[in-house]
Amino acid sequence: MTPALSAADAAPKTYAWEIRATGLSVRAGRKKIAVDGLDLSLGTGAHGLLGPNGAGKTTLIRALATVLRPAAGELDLFGSSVGALADLRAVRRRIGYLPQEFGYYKRFTVREFVEYMAWLKEVPKADVPAAVQRAVERVGLADQADQRMKTLSGGMLRRAGIAQAIVNDPAVLLLDEPTAGLDPAQRLRFRELLQELGREACVVVSTHLVEDVAAACSDVVLFADGKLVFQGTPQDLAAAGSPEHPGDSPLERGYSALLHNSEQQKGAW
Amino acid sequence: MSAEHASMRLIDDYARGDTQLPADTLWALESHLETCASCRSRLADSVTNEAPGLAALVDTVRAGLEPQLDAAVQMPSRLRRPRWVSAWLTPAMTPWLLMTVAVTLIALLLDAAGLSGNFGGASPLLLIAPVLPLCAVAASWSRGLDPAYELMASTARAGLPLLLRRTTSVLAVVLPVLLLEGWLTGAMTAAQWLLPSLAFTSTALALGSVVGVTRAAIGLAAAWGVFVVAPAWAGGPSPLALRLDQLPLWGLLLALGTGVVIARRKAYSAL
Protein backbone atom coordinates (compact mmCIF):
# COMPACT_ATOMS: atom_id res chain seq x y z
CA MET A 1 0.00 0.00 0.00
CA THR A 2 1.29 3.44 -0.88
CA PRO A 3 1.28 5.99 1.93
CA ALA A 4 -1.43 8.58 1.76
CA LEU A 5 -0.26 11.95 0.51
CA SER A 6 -0.72 14.84 2.84
CA ALA A 7 -2.05 18.13 1.52
CA ALA A 8 1.40 19.68 1.98
CA ASP A 9 3.00 16.97 -0.17
CA ALA A 10 0.43 17.28 -2.93
CA ALA A 11 0.50 21.08 -3.07
CA PRO A 12 2.58 22.62 -5.85
CA LYS A 13 6.08 23.62 -4.80
CA THR A 14 6.26 27.36 -4.35
CA TYR A 15 9.88 27.54 -3.28
CA ALA A 16 13.15 27.03 -5.12
CA TRP A 17 15.07 25.40 -2.29
CA GLU A 18 13.93 23.22 0.61
CA ILE A 19 16.64 24.81 2.76
CA ARG A 20 17.95 28.30 2.17
CA ALA A 21 20.20 30.13 4.59
CA THR A 22 21.41 33.68 4.06
CA GLY A 23 23.94 35.11 6.46
CA LEU A 24 22.80 32.56 9.02
CA SER A 25 24.44 32.69 12.45
CA VAL A 26 23.58 30.27 15.23
CA ARG A 27 24.85 30.21 18.78
CA ALA A 28 25.97 27.07 20.54
CA GLY A 29 25.41 27.70 24.20
CA ARG A 30 25.19 31.30 25.34
CA LYS A 31 28.21 32.92 23.74
CA LYS A 32 29.95 30.80 21.14
CA ILE A 33 28.87 31.49 17.57
CA ALA A 34 29.13 28.05 15.98
CA VAL A 35 27.60 28.92 12.61
CA ASP A 36 28.84 32.28 11.39
CA GLY A 37 27.28 34.06 8.44
CA LEU A 38 26.45 30.99 6.38
CA ASP A 39 24.97 31.21 2.89
CA LEU A 40 23.66 27.86 1.73
CA SER A 41 20.94 26.57 -0.58
CA LEU A 42 19.96 22.93 -0.60
CA GLY A 43 17.35 21.27 -2.79
CA THR A 44 16.21 17.71 -3.35
CA GLY A 45 19.06 15.21 -3.14
CA ALA A 46 21.47 13.71 -0.66
CA HIS A 47 23.86 16.32 0.70
CA GLY A 48 26.92 15.28 2.65
CA LEU A 49 27.92 17.80 5.29
CA LEU A 50 31.66 17.36 5.85
CA GLY A 51 33.94 19.17 8.22
CA PRO A 52 36.48 18.73 10.98
CA ASN A 53 35.38 18.21 14.59
CA GLY A 54 34.02 21.40 16.06
CA ALA A 55 33.21 22.93 12.68
CA GLY A 56 29.63 23.60 13.75
CA LYS A 57 27.96 20.74 11.87
CA THR A 58 25.78 19.69 14.79
CA THR A 59 24.77 23.27 15.57
CA LEU A 60 23.81 23.83 11.93
CA ILE A 61 21.73 20.62 11.87
CA ARG A 62 20.01 21.59 15.14
CA ALA A 63 19.16 24.98 13.67
CA LEU A 64 17.80 23.32 10.52
CA ALA A 65 15.71 21.05 12.76
CA THR A 66 14.23 24.21 14.39
CA VAL A 67 15.57 23.16 17.79
CA LEU A 68 17.82 26.24 17.88
CA ARG A 69 16.64 29.66 16.75
CA PRO A 70 18.94 31.61 14.41
CA ALA A 71 20.89 34.36 16.19
CA ALA A 72 21.18 36.41 13.02
CA GLY A 73 20.45 36.07 9.32
CA GLU A 74 17.64 34.25 7.58
CA LEU A 75 16.75 30.59 7.52
CA ASP A 76 14.03 29.58 5.08
CA LEU A 77 12.54 26.10 5.21
CA PHE A 78 10.10 25.28 2.41
CA GLY A 79 10.15 28.93 1.42
CA SER A 80 9.01 30.37 4.75
CA SER A 81 11.34 32.06 7.17
CA VAL A 82 11.77 30.11 10.41
CA GLY A 83 12.60 33.18 12.50
CA ALA A 84 9.44 35.01 11.47
CA LEU A 85 7.09 32.05 11.81
CA ALA A 86 5.13 32.15 15.02
CA ASP A 87 3.87 28.64 14.46
CA LEU A 88 6.41 26.08 13.39
CA ARG A 89 3.96 23.17 13.31
CA ALA A 90 3.47 23.01 9.56
CA VAL A 91 7.21 23.18 8.92
CA ARG A 92 8.06 20.70 11.65
CA ARG A 93 5.57 18.14 10.35
CA ARG A 94 7.72 17.81 7.24
CA ILE A 95 11.08 17.47 8.99
CA GLY A 96 12.80 14.27 10.02
CA TYR A 97 15.68 14.62 12.48
CA LEU A 98 18.15 12.17 13.93
CA PRO A 99 20.37 13.84 16.56
CA GLN A 100 23.94 12.75 17.09
CA GLU A 101 23.11 11.30 20.49
CA PHE A 102 19.44 10.71 20.76
CA GLY A 103 17.73 9.93 24.01
CA TYR A 104 14.89 7.46 24.11
CA TYR A 105 12.75 5.71 26.67
CA LYS A 106 14.42 2.42 27.52
CA ARG A 107 11.21 0.58 28.30
CA PHE A 108 9.60 1.32 24.95
CA THR A 109 9.80 -1.31 22.23
CA VAL A 110 11.09 -0.18 18.84
CA ARG A 111 7.54 -0.09 17.55
CA GLU A 112 6.24 1.90 20.51
CA PHE A 113 9.12 4.35 20.14
CA VAL A 114 8.54 4.92 16.43
CA GLU A 115 4.77 5.10 17.02
CA TYR A 116 5.29 7.69 19.73
CA MET A 117 7.47 9.76 17.44
CA ALA A 118 4.86 9.46 14.67
CA TRP A 119 2.28 10.76 17.13
CA LEU A 120 4.53 13.68 18.09
CA LYS A 121 5.01 14.46 14.41
CA GLU A 122 1.24 14.55 13.89
CA VAL A 123 1.09 11.70 11.40
CA PRO A 124 -2.67 11.13 10.85
CA LYS A 125 -3.89 8.52 13.33
CA ALA A 126 -5.15 6.10 10.68
CA ASP A 127 -1.78 6.08 8.89
CA VAL A 128 0.37 5.48 11.97
CA PRO A 129 0.54 1.64 12.06
CA ALA A 130 1.35 1.36 8.35
CA ALA A 131 3.86 4.21 8.44
CA VAL A 132 5.60 2.69 11.46
CA GLN A 133 5.78 -0.74 9.86
CA ARG A 134 7.18 0.74 6.65
CA ALA A 135 9.83 2.78 8.46
CA VAL A 136 10.89 -0.19 10.57
CA GLU A 137 11.12 -2.40 7.50
CA ARG A 138 13.14 0.14 5.57
CA VAL A 139 15.87 0.12 8.20
CA GLY A 140 15.76 -3.67 8.51
CA LEU A 141 14.43 -3.82 12.06
CA ALA A 142 11.17 -5.66 11.33
CA ASP A 143 12.33 -8.74 13.25
CA GLN A 144 13.32 -6.68 16.29
CA ALA A 145 10.30 -4.36 16.21
CA ASP A 146 8.83 -5.78 19.40
CA GLN A 147 12.04 -5.81 21.39
CA ARG A 148 12.60 -3.18 24.02
CA MET A 149 14.97 -0.35 23.19
CA LYS A 150 17.32 -1.24 26.05
CA THR A 151 18.02 -4.67 24.56
CA LEU A 152 19.23 -3.27 21.21
CA SER A 153 22.86 -3.04 20.13
CA GLY A 154 24.40 0.29 19.15
CA GLY A 155 23.88 -0.30 15.43
CA MET A 156 20.26 -1.31 15.92
CA LEU A 157 19.65 1.79 18.03
CA ARG A 158 21.01 3.98 15.22
CA ARG A 159 18.65 2.21 12.82
CA ALA A 160 15.72 2.72 15.18
CA GLY A 161 16.72 6.38 15.20
CA ILE A 162 16.70 6.49 11.42
CA ALA A 163 13.29 4.77 11.44
CA GLN A 164 11.78 7.49 13.66
CA ALA A 165 13.31 10.16 11.42
CA ILE A 166 11.68 8.80 8.25
CA VAL A 167 8.34 7.74 9.74
CA ASN A 168 6.57 10.93 8.62
CA ASP A 169 7.99 10.76 5.06
CA PRO A 170 9.86 14.04 5.61
CA ALA A 171 10.65 16.46 2.82
CA VAL A 172 13.74 17.56 4.75
CA LEU A 173 15.65 14.79 6.49
CA LEU A 174 18.49 15.76 8.83
CA LEU A 175 20.84 13.03 9.97
CA ASP A 176 23.67 13.83 12.36
CA GLU A 177 26.41 11.19 12.23
CA PRO A 178 24.01 8.39 11.26
CA THR A 179 26.73 5.89 10.38
CA ALA A 180 28.45 5.94 13.78
CA GLY A 181 28.14 2.47 15.27
CA LEU A 182 27.03 0.73 12.08
CA ASP A 183 29.06 -2.25 10.89
CA PRO A 184 30.35 -2.30 7.28
CA ALA A 185 27.42 -4.32 5.92
CA GLN A 186 24.90 -2.04 7.61
CA ARG A 187 26.72 1.00 6.28
CA LEU A 188 26.40 -0.33 2.74
CA ARG A 189 22.70 -0.87 3.29
CA PHE A 190 22.40 2.59 4.81
CA ARG A 191 24.04 4.18 1.76
CA GLU A 192 21.46 2.49 -0.47
CA LEU A 193 18.68 3.83 1.74
CA LEU A 194 20.26 7.28 1.58
CA GLN A 195 20.34 7.25 -2.22
CA GLU A 196 16.72 6.09 -2.25
CA LEU A 197 15.62 8.85 0.14
CA GLY A 198 17.68 11.47 -1.74
CA ARG A 199 15.57 10.97 -4.83
CA GLU A 200 12.47 12.47 -3.24
CA ALA A 201 13.61 14.48 -0.25
CA CYS A 202 16.28 16.94 0.72
CA VAL A 203 18.58 14.82 2.88
CA VAL A 204 21.39 16.42 4.89
CA VAL A 205 23.88 13.95 6.33
CA SER A 206 26.53 15.23 8.64
CA THR A 207 29.56 12.97 8.79
CA HIS A 208 33.30 12.94 9.04
CA LEU A 209 33.63 9.81 6.93
CA VAL A 210 34.59 10.98 3.45
CA GLU A 211 33.81 7.58 1.89
CA ASP A 212 30.16 7.72 3.00
CA VAL A 213 29.78 10.95 1.08
CA ALA A 214 31.51 9.56 -1.99
CA ALA A 215 29.24 6.54 -2.09
CA ALA A 216 25.85 7.98 -1.27
CA CYS A 217 25.69 11.73 -1.77
CA SER A 218 25.04 13.74 -4.88
CA ASP A 219 26.35 16.91 -3.33
CA VAL A 220 29.08 17.80 -0.84
CA VAL A 221 29.03 20.72 1.57
CA LEU A 222 32.36 21.36 3.23
CA PHE A 223 32.12 23.32 6.40
CA ALA A 224 34.85 24.66 8.72
CA ASP A 225 34.72 27.05 11.65
CA GLY A 226 31.11 27.89 11.04
CA LYS A 227 31.69 28.96 7.45
CA LEU A 228 31.04 27.35 4.08
CA VAL A 229 34.30 26.30 2.43
CA PHE A 230 33.03 24.43 -0.58
CA GLN A 231 29.84 23.19 -2.18
CA GLY A 232 29.77 20.92 -5.22
CA THR A 233 29.65 17.36 -6.43
CA PRO A 234 31.96 14.65 -5.04
CA GLN A 235 33.84 14.82 -8.38
CA ASP A 236 34.52 18.53 -7.86
CA LEU A 237 35.83 17.78 -4.40
CA ALA A 238 38.15 15.08 -5.76
CA ALA A 239 39.37 17.45 -8.47
CA ALA A 240 40.40 20.04 -5.89
CA GLY A 241 43.10 17.78 -4.51
CA SER A 242 46.47 16.94 -6.00
CA PRO A 243 48.86 14.11 -5.12
CA GLU A 244 50.96 16.25 -2.73
CA HIS A 245 48.01 16.71 -0.38
CA PRO A 246 47.63 14.21 2.45
CA GLY A 247 44.99 11.53 2.06
CA ASP A 248 44.42 7.98 0.84
CA SER A 249 41.74 8.62 -1.76
CA PRO A 250 41.09 11.46 -4.24
CA LEU A 251 38.23 12.70 -2.05
CA GLU A 252 40.39 12.77 1.06
CA ARG A 253 43.08 14.67 -0.81
CA GLY A 254 40.48 17.15 -2.06
CA TYR A 255 39.14 17.51 1.47
CA SER A 256 42.53 18.27 2.98
CA ALA A 257 43.45 20.58 0.09
CA LEU A 258 40.32 22.71 0.56
CA LEU A 259 40.66 22.80 4.33
CA HIS A 260 44.33 23.69 4.02
CA ASN A 261 43.57 26.49 1.54
CA SER A 262 41.03 28.01 3.86
CA GLU A 263 43.67 27.79 6.61
CA GLN A 264 41.19 26.37 9.02
CA GLN A 265 43.31 23.50 10.20
CA LYS A 266 45.05 24.38 13.39
CA GLY A 267 47.57 22.14 15.09
CA ALA A 268 48.25 18.54 14.25
CA TRP A 269 44.71 17.35 15.00
CA MET B 1 -20.24 -4.24 -2.27
CA SER B 2 -21.81 -4.01 -5.72
CA ALA B 3 -25.02 -5.72 -6.64
CA GLU B 4 -23.25 -7.36 -9.58
CA HIS B 5 -21.63 -10.71 -8.92
CA ALA B 6 -19.35 -12.84 -11.01
CA SER B 7 -21.06 -15.50 -13.13
CA MET B 8 -20.66 -19.13 -12.12
CA ARG B 9 -19.01 -19.87 -15.45
CA LEU B 10 -16.39 -17.18 -14.88
CA ILE B 11 -15.65 -18.49 -11.40
CA ASP B 12 -15.36 -22.07 -12.69
CA ASP B 13 -12.94 -20.94 -15.39
CA TYR B 14 -10.92 -19.08 -12.79
CA ALA B 15 -10.83 -22.08 -10.46
CA ARG B 16 -9.69 -24.49 -13.19
CA GLY B 17 -7.17 -21.99 -14.49
CA ASP B 18 -6.95 -23.70 -17.89
CA THR B 19 -8.92 -21.24 -20.04
CA GLN B 20 -7.07 -18.06 -20.88
CA LEU B 21 -9.02 -15.24 -19.22
CA PRO B 22 -8.36 -11.73 -20.56
CA ALA B 23 -6.18 -9.74 -18.17
CA ASP B 24 -8.80 -7.05 -17.51
CA THR B 25 -11.45 -9.64 -16.66
CA LEU B 26 -8.99 -11.37 -14.35
CA TRP B 27 -8.20 -8.14 -12.49
CA ALA B 28 -11.85 -7.22 -12.16
CA LEU B 29 -12.69 -10.69 -10.89
CA GLU B 30 -9.86 -10.78 -8.35
CA SER B 31 -10.61 -7.34 -6.97
CA HIS B 32 -14.28 -8.32 -6.69
CA LEU B 33 -13.36 -11.55 -4.90
CA GLU B 34 -11.32 -9.58 -2.37
CA THR B 35 -14.39 -7.68 -1.24
CA CYS B 36 -17.23 -10.15 -1.82
CA ALA B 37 -17.64 -13.01 0.64
CA SER B 38 -20.44 -14.78 -1.24
CA CYS B 39 -18.39 -15.00 -4.44
CA ARG B 40 -15.44 -16.31 -2.43
CA SER B 41 -17.59 -19.10 -1.03
CA ARG B 42 -18.81 -19.92 -4.53
CA LEU B 43 -15.17 -20.03 -5.61
CA ALA B 44 -14.41 -22.46 -2.76
CA ASP B 45 -17.23 -24.78 -3.94
CA SER B 46 -16.06 -24.43 -7.49
CA VAL B 47 -12.51 -25.46 -6.57
CA THR B 48 -13.71 -28.70 -4.92
CA ASN B 49 -16.01 -29.56 -7.86
CA GLU B 50 -14.09 -28.35 -10.88
CA ALA B 51 -10.44 -28.69 -9.84
CA PRO B 52 -10.16 -31.69 -7.51
CA GLY B 53 -6.44 -31.88 -8.27
CA LEU B 54 -5.88 -28.39 -6.89
CA ALA B 55 -7.95 -29.07 -3.77
CA ALA B 56 -5.99 -32.28 -3.14
CA LEU B 57 -2.70 -30.40 -3.55
CA VAL B 58 -3.74 -27.72 -1.05
CA ASP B 59 -4.80 -30.44 1.41
CA THR B 60 -1.46 -32.26 1.09
CA VAL B 61 0.49 -29.04 1.71
CA ARG B 62 -1.70 -28.29 4.69
CA ALA B 63 -1.21 -31.79 6.09
CA GLY B 64 2.55 -31.45 5.64
CA LEU B 65 2.67 -28.06 7.37
CA GLU B 66 0.36 -28.87 10.25
CA PRO B 67 2.93 -30.49 12.58
CA GLN B 68 5.31 -27.56 12.07
CA LEU B 69 2.56 -25.02 12.71
CA ASP B 70 1.62 -26.81 15.92
CA ALA B 71 5.24 -26.91 17.03
CA ALA B 72 5.72 -23.17 16.51
CA VAL B 73 5.37 -21.43 19.84
CA GLN B 74 3.28 -18.33 20.09
CA MET B 75 5.38 -15.29 21.05
CA PRO B 76 4.54 -14.49 24.65
CA SER B 77 2.43 -11.37 24.30
CA ARG B 78 3.65 -8.55 26.47
CA LEU B 79 1.32 -6.12 28.07
CA ARG B 80 1.26 -3.37 25.44
CA ARG B 81 1.34 0.21 26.56
CA PRO B 82 -1.84 1.77 25.20
CA ARG B 83 -1.06 4.67 22.90
CA TRP B 84 -3.11 7.18 24.85
CA VAL B 85 -0.90 6.65 27.88
CA SER B 86 2.23 7.87 26.12
CA ALA B 87 0.25 10.79 24.75
CA TRP B 88 -0.36 12.03 28.30
CA LEU B 89 2.55 10.72 30.32
CA THR B 90 6.17 10.09 29.44
CA PRO B 91 8.16 7.36 31.15
CA ALA B 92 10.48 10.13 32.38
CA MET B 93 7.62 11.58 34.41
CA THR B 94 6.55 8.38 36.12
CA PRO B 95 9.25 8.25 38.84
CA TRP B 96 8.59 11.90 39.69
CA LEU B 97 4.88 11.28 39.96
CA LEU B 98 5.51 8.30 42.22
CA MET B 99 7.86 10.38 44.34
CA THR B 100 5.25 13.11 44.66
CA VAL B 101 2.68 10.59 45.84
CA ALA B 102 5.24 9.14 48.25
CA VAL B 103 5.88 12.60 49.71
CA THR B 104 2.18 13.03 50.40
CA LEU B 105 2.19 9.69 52.19
CA ILE B 106 5.14 10.76 54.34
CA ALA B 107 3.36 13.99 55.19
CA LEU B 108 0.33 11.90 56.07
CA LEU B 109 2.45 9.78 58.43
CA LEU B 110 3.94 12.89 60.05
CA ASP B 111 0.45 14.17 60.49
CA ALA B 112 -0.68 10.90 62.05
CA ALA B 113 2.33 10.97 64.38
CA GLY B 114 0.97 14.21 65.75
CA LEU B 115 3.80 16.41 64.60
CA SER B 116 1.54 19.17 63.43
CA GLY B 117 2.24 21.00 66.62
CA ASN B 118 5.73 21.68 65.26
CA PHE B 119 4.30 23.64 62.35
CA GLY B 120 2.39 26.28 64.18
CA GLY B 121 -0.70 24.16 64.25
CA ALA B 122 -0.79 23.58 60.47
CA SER B 123 -0.71 20.05 59.17
CA PRO B 124 2.50 19.12 57.28
CA LEU B 125 0.25 17.90 54.49
CA LEU B 126 -1.35 21.30 54.20
CA LEU B 127 2.04 23.00 54.13
CA ILE B 128 3.32 21.05 51.15
CA ALA B 129 0.08 20.53 49.22
CA PRO B 130 0.22 23.83 47.27
CA VAL B 131 3.68 23.22 45.80
CA LEU B 132 3.55 19.45 45.47
CA PRO B 133 2.25 19.24 41.89
CA LEU B 134 5.16 21.47 40.87
CA CYS B 135 7.84 18.78 41.14
CA ALA B 136 6.07 16.50 38.71
CA VAL B 137 5.21 19.40 36.40
CA ALA B 138 8.88 20.40 36.38
CA ALA B 139 9.90 16.88 35.43
CA SER B 140 7.37 16.75 32.62
CA TRP B 141 8.96 19.60 30.68
CA SER B 142 12.64 19.47 31.39
CA ARG B 143 15.72 19.17 29.22
CA GLY B 144 17.79 17.38 31.81
CA LEU B 145 15.20 14.89 33.00
CA ASP B 146 13.57 13.87 29.74
CA PRO B 147 16.00 11.78 27.67
CA ALA B 148 13.98 12.25 24.49
CA TYR B 149 13.84 16.04 24.69
CA GLU B 150 16.09 16.63 21.67
CA LEU B 151 13.86 14.45 19.50
CA MET B 152 10.71 15.96 20.95
CA ALA B 153 11.85 19.56 20.55
CA SER B 154 11.91 19.23 16.77
CA THR B 155 8.44 17.73 16.39
CA ALA B 156 5.19 19.43 15.45
CA ARG B 157 3.50 18.69 18.75
CA ALA B 158 6.18 20.30 20.93
CA GLY B 159 4.55 23.36 22.38
CA LEU B 160 1.93 24.57 24.80
CA PRO B 161 -0.70 21.88 24.01
CA LEU B 162 1.75 19.11 24.86
CA LEU B 163 2.90 20.91 28.02
CA LEU B 164 -0.73 21.35 29.09
CA ARG B 165 -1.45 17.69 28.42
CA ARG B 166 1.41 16.63 30.67
CA THR B 167 0.47 19.15 33.35
CA THR B 168 -3.11 17.90 33.27
CA SER B 169 -2.01 14.31 33.73
CA VAL B 170 0.18 15.33 36.69
CA LEU B 171 -2.72 17.17 38.32
CA ALA B 172 -5.05 14.26 37.58
CA VAL B 173 -2.82 11.98 39.66
CA VAL B 174 -1.70 14.32 42.43
CA LEU B 175 -4.89 16.24 43.21
CA PRO B 176 -7.10 13.18 43.92
CA VAL B 177 -4.42 11.76 46.22
CA LEU B 178 -4.26 15.05 48.15
CA LEU B 179 -8.05 15.30 48.24
CA LEU B 180 -8.33 11.78 49.64
CA GLU B 181 -5.66 12.34 52.26
CA GLY B 182 -7.11 15.67 53.28
CA TRP B 183 -10.46 13.99 53.72
CA LEU B 184 -8.93 11.09 55.69
CA THR B 185 -7.02 13.28 58.12
CA GLY B 186 -9.54 16.06 58.29
CA ALA B 187 -6.52 18.33 58.65
CA MET B 188 -7.32 20.51 55.70
CA THR B 189 -10.27 21.50 53.59
CA ALA B 190 -9.95 21.36 49.83
CA ALA B 191 -10.59 25.08 49.61
CA GLN B 192 -7.46 25.78 51.62
CA TRP B 193 -4.96 24.20 49.26
CA LEU B 194 -6.65 23.49 45.92
CA LEU B 195 -6.69 27.07 44.71
CA PRO B 196 -3.10 27.79 45.86
CA SER B 197 -1.78 24.68 44.16
CA LEU B 198 -3.55 25.54 40.89
CA ALA B 199 -2.27 29.09 41.19
CA PHE B 200 1.29 27.83 41.72
CA THR B 201 1.03 25.50 38.72
CA SER B 202 -0.21 28.23 36.40
CA THR B 203 2.44 30.65 37.66
CA ALA B 204 5.13 28.03 37.06
CA LEU B 205 3.93 27.59 33.48
CA ALA B 206 3.78 31.35 32.98
CA LEU B 207 7.28 31.96 34.34
CA GLY B 208 8.38 28.86 32.43
CA SER B 209 7.88 30.64 29.13
CA VAL B 210 10.72 32.96 30.15
CA VAL B 211 13.15 30.96 32.28
CA GLY B 212 12.11 27.36 31.57
CA VAL B 213 9.45 25.39 33.40
CA THR B 214 11.90 23.43 35.54
CA ARG B 215 13.65 26.55 36.83
CA ALA B 216 10.35 28.30 37.45
CA ALA B 217 8.98 25.35 39.42
CA ILE B 218 12.13 24.98 41.53
CA GLY B 219 12.17 28.72 42.22
CA LEU B 220 8.53 28.80 43.31
CA ALA B 221 8.87 25.72 45.51
CA ALA B 222 12.00 27.20 47.13
CA ALA B 223 10.26 30.51 47.73
CA TRP B 224 7.33 28.70 49.34
CA GLY B 225 9.76 26.74 51.53
CA VAL B 226 11.62 29.85 52.67
CA PHE B 227 8.69 32.18 53.22
CA VAL B 228 5.95 29.83 54.44
CA VAL B 229 7.22 26.42 55.56
CA ALA B 230 10.40 27.58 57.33
CA PRO B 231 8.67 30.21 59.54
CA ALA B 232 6.02 27.64 60.46
CA TRP B 233 8.76 25.12 61.29
CA ALA B 234 10.51 27.70 63.43
CA GLY B 235 7.39 27.83 65.56
CA GLY B 236 5.69 30.82 64.05
CA PRO B 237 1.94 31.18 63.89
CA SER B 238 -0.21 29.33 61.39
CA PRO B 239 0.85 30.51 57.92
CA LEU B 240 -1.02 33.55 56.74
CA ALA B 241 -0.93 32.38 53.12
CA LEU B 242 -3.14 29.39 53.89
CA ARG B 243 -5.94 31.22 55.70
CA LEU B 244 -9.25 31.04 53.97
CA ASP B 245 -9.56 34.82 53.72
CA GLN B 246 -6.54 34.86 51.39
CA LEU B 247 -8.40 32.88 48.72
CA PRO B 248 -9.24 35.90 46.51
CA LEU B 249 -5.51 36.63 46.26
CA TRP B 250 -4.81 33.06 45.14
CA GLY B 251 -7.62 33.32 42.64
CA LEU B 252 -6.08 36.49 41.30
CA LEU B 253 -2.69 34.76 40.95
CA LEU B 254 -4.32 31.85 39.11
CA ALA B 255 -6.06 34.20 36.70
CA LEU B 256 -2.85 36.17 36.18
CA GLY B 257 -0.81 33.02 35.51
CA THR B 258 -3.40 31.65 33.09
CA GLY B 259 -3.54 35.00 31.29
CA VAL B 260 0.24 35.11 30.86
CA VAL B 261 0.32 31.52 29.60
CA ILE B 262 -2.33 32.33 26.99
CA ALA B 263 -0.59 35.53 25.96
CA ARG B 264 2.76 33.80 25.58
CA ARG B 265 1.44 30.57 24.05
CA LYS B 266 3.89 30.82 21.13
CA ALA B 267 6.92 30.84 23.43
CA TYR B 268 6.70 27.16 24.33
CA SER B 269 7.74 25.62 21.00
CA ALA B 270 11.13 24.69 22.49
CA LEU B 271 11.75 23.09 25.86
Side-chain angles (χ1 to χ4, degrees), chain B residues 75-109:
Chain B
M75 274 265 286
S77 71
R78 198 170 66 75
L79 201 63
R80 256 180 76 83
R81 184 176 289 107
R83 201 180 300 153
W84 65 266
V85 171
S86 27
W88 291 89
L89 264 177
T90 65
M93 288 161 63
T94 325
W96 289 87
L97 264 181
L98 292 179
M99 188 200 74
T100 308
V101 172
V103 168
T104 69
L105 289 177
I106 291 169
L108 189 68
L109 285 177

Side-chain angles (χ1 to χ4, degrees), chain A residues 116 119, chain B residues 84-94 96-98 100-101 133 136-137 139-141 161-177 201 205:
Chain A
Y116 182 54
W119 178 79
Chain B
W84 65 266
V85 171
S86 27
W88 291 89
L89 264 177
T90 65
M93 288 161 63
T94 325
W96 289 87
L97 264 181
L98 292 179
T100 308
V101 172
V137 168
S140 69
W141 201 254
L162 190 63
L163 173 59
L164 287 184
R165 251 173 204 267
R166 294 183 176 181
T167 309
T168 312
S169 57
V170 167
L171 294 179
V173 173
V174 177
L175 295 188
V177 172
T201 312
L205 297 187

Side-chain angles (χ1 to χ4, degrees), chain B residues 127-258:
Chain B
L127 281 176
I128 57 165
V131 289
L132 212 46
L134 284 183
C135 7
V137 168
S140 69
W141 201 254
S142 146
R143 264 179 223 210
L145 298 174
D146 192 345
Y149 95 90
E150 176 84 16
L151 282 176
M152 205 197 77
S154 71
T155 59
R157 259 186 223 273
L160 186 60
L162 190 63
L163 173 59
L164 287 184
R165 251 173 204 267
R166 294 183 176 181
T167 309
T168 312
S169 57
V170 167
L171 294 179
V173 173
V174 177
L175 295 188
V177 172
L178 285 173
L179 268 177
L180 184 71
E181 291 182 358
W183 175 73
L184 279 179
T185 55
M188 56 187 190
T189 55
Q192 261 178 306
W193 61 269
L194 192 57
L195 202 56
S197 74
L198 291 177
F200 264 122
T201 312
S202 74
T203 313
L205 297 187
L207 290 177
S209 70
V210 186
V211 296
V213 175
T214 316
R215 268 185 224 140
I218 291 172
L220 285 174
W224 177 259
V226 169
F227 294 112
V228 178
V229 181
W233 176 268
S238 180
L240 187 70
L242 287 170
R243 291 217 194 114
L244 282 174
D245 52 1
Q246 303 293 326
L247 282 185
L249 279 179
W250 288 113
L252 192 67
L253 190 62
L254 173 61
L256 210 65
T258 315

Side-chain angles (χ1 to χ4, degrees), chain A residues 8-54:
Chain A
D9 288 328
K13 228 165 122 168
T14 52
Y15 46 85
W17 307 97
E18 267 83 357
I19 298 172
R20 189 182 166 84
T22 31
L24 178 70
S25 296
V26 191
R27 278 199 195 92
R30 268 171 207 275
K31 291 202 180 124
K32 189 175 177 266
I33 296 276
V35 177
D36 190 4
L38 176 76
D39 294 306
L40 186 67
S41 301
L42 299 173
T44 306
H47 310 274
L49 187 59
L50 278 176
N53 292 336

